[in-house]
């Protein structure tokens, strides 16, 4: 099978001391802070995780650039509502396919997610070729051509989410019951988190982090 993995870039993450400051605001315990050090990290974990005051974790936010997921996976991702999505436009970018070389399945894998099942991959490949023929017919606007895009077509987005919602995402999507592609996405997102932040999310993942 042709190997395809999503590419994830962490564009931004809030400093941990922002969350610690929010927590200390409640008790006015600023004098106990160590400016995002071990005391503040323990405080965030204790209040946000152990005591389940999850609203405090909303002060931490992350922005990711996600490349190489299928439109099917994007639908799964969009079910996580407390997040912001800026997605590659199919209306304006389908032109990329007009002159693309998709003469082999390997070359076509630049544009579609392959699943390793011959019948499914062949169907996606045939759909991609039909889509290209529609794009090449300049009498048809992209507004209409886009309706013929297969679910396997690859896309990308910028995704922003707070730590509370990210915990929910990782807990649900690292499960073996989740769609296999979004499991891979969850693993890739966890892997690019700042090392000093990962302790907040370790209990949310099931299969790819040793607890």
């Amino acid at each position: 099978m042709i190997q395809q993995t999503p590419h994830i870039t962490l564009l931004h993450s809030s400093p941990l001391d922002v969350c610690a400051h929010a927590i200390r605001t409640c008790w006015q315990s600023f004098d106990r802070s160590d400016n995002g050090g071990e005391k503040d990290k323990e405080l965030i974990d204790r209040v946000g995780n152990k005591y389940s005051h999850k609203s405090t974790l909303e002060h931490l936010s992350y922005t990711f650039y996600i490349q190489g997921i299928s439109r099917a996976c994007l639908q799964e991702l969009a079910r996580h509502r407390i997040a912001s999505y800026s997605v590659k436009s199919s209306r304006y970018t389908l032109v990329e396919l007009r002159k693309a070389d998709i003469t082999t399945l390997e070359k076509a894998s630049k544009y579609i997610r392959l699943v390793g099942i011959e019948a499914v991959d062949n169907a996606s490949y045939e759909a991609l070729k039909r889509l290209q023929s529609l794009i090449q017919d300049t009498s048809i606007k992209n507004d209409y051509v886009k309706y013929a895009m297969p679910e396997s077509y690859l896309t990308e987005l910028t995704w922003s989410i707070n730590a509370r919602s990210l915990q929910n995402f990782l807990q649900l999507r690292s499960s073996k019951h989740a769609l296999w592609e979004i499991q891979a996405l969850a693993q890739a997102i966890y892997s690019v988190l700042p090392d000093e932040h990962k302790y907040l999310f370790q209990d949310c993942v099931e299969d790819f982090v040793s607890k």
Side-chain angles (χ1 to χ4, degrees):
M1 179 178 174
I2 298 168
Q3 293 299 312
Q4 296 172 296
T5 55
H7 182 71
I8 314 299
T9 304
L10 177 66
L11 299 177
H12 165 80
S13 62
S14 302
L16 287 173
D17 59 357
V18 170
C19 186
H21 186 279
I23 294 171
R24 293 193 185 283
T25 300
C26 301
W27 293 284
Q28 294 291 290
S29 61
F30 302 117
D31 57 322
R32 300 182 185 179
S33 172
D34 59 355
N35 300 312
E38 292 304 313
K39 287 175 62 177
D40 281 352
K41 288 177 66 178
E42 188 278 330
L43 174 73
I44 296 168
D45 187 42
R46 174 161 42 89
V47 174
N49 284 342
K50 294 184 174 66
Y51 295 168
S52 296
H53 294 303
K54 297 293 185 181
S55 62
T56 60
L57 299 179
E58 294 172 6
H59 295 284
L60 294 176
S61 63
Y62 307 87
T63 298
F64 305 91
Y65 182 30
I66 301 172
Q67 297 171 278
I69 62 169
S70 70
R71 289 163 61 86
C73 186
L74 176 63
Q75 287 192 50
E76 297 272 337
L77 184 63
R79 294 174 183 172
H80 296 270
R81 294 174 178 81
I82 312 301
S84 297
Y85 300 77
S86 295
V87 182
K88 177 182 178 181
S89 169
S90 56
R91 288 183 64 194
Y92 295 107
T93 63
L94 264 178
V95 67
E96 69 187 6
L97 193 59
R98 183 170 294 155
K99 296 183 179 180
D101 181 0
I102 57 171
T103 52
T104 67
L105 190 61
E106 182 173 4
K107 291 177 179 178
S109 68
K110 179 180 178 181
Y111 301 97
I112 53 174
R113 167 70 66 222
L114 302 177
V115 302
I117 299 173
E118 185 176 3
V120 176
D121 289 342
N122 286 341
S124 290
Y125 185 34
E126 291 302 316
L128 183 68
K129 289 189 287 186
R130 289 194 296 271
L131 179 65
Q132 185 181 58
S133 69
L134 290 172
I135 288 292
Q136 291 170 342
D137 182 349
T138 56
S139 68
I140 307 176
K141 293 182 179 180
N142 283 3
D143 283 1
Y144 301 102
V145 172
K146 65 180 290 180
Y147 286 93
M149 295 176 72
E151 288 285 79
S152 58
Y153 201 88
L154 297 177
T155 190
E156 57 190 59
L157 70 151
T158 297
W159 188 54
S160 296
I161 189 168
N162 67 52
R164 181 182 191 173
S165 294
L166 185 57
Q167 284 186 340
N168 175 259
F169 168 79
L170 291 173
Q171 185 174 30
L172 292 176
R173 301 308 186 172
S174 67
S175 167
K176 63 184 180 181
H177 302 294
L179 178 72
W180 63 272
E181 187 181 356
I182 207 168
Q183 287 184 54
L185 176 60
Q187 182 172 0
I189 285 172
Y190 178 82
S191 70
V192 301
L193 287 172
D195 288 341
E196 64 271 23
H197 289 230
K198 287 182 177 177
Y199 79 104
L200 293 173
F201 303 95
Q202 286 180 346
D203 288 340
C204 302
V205 295
E206 290 188 357
D207 297 327
F208 53 83
V209 173
S210 298
K211 298 182 179 181

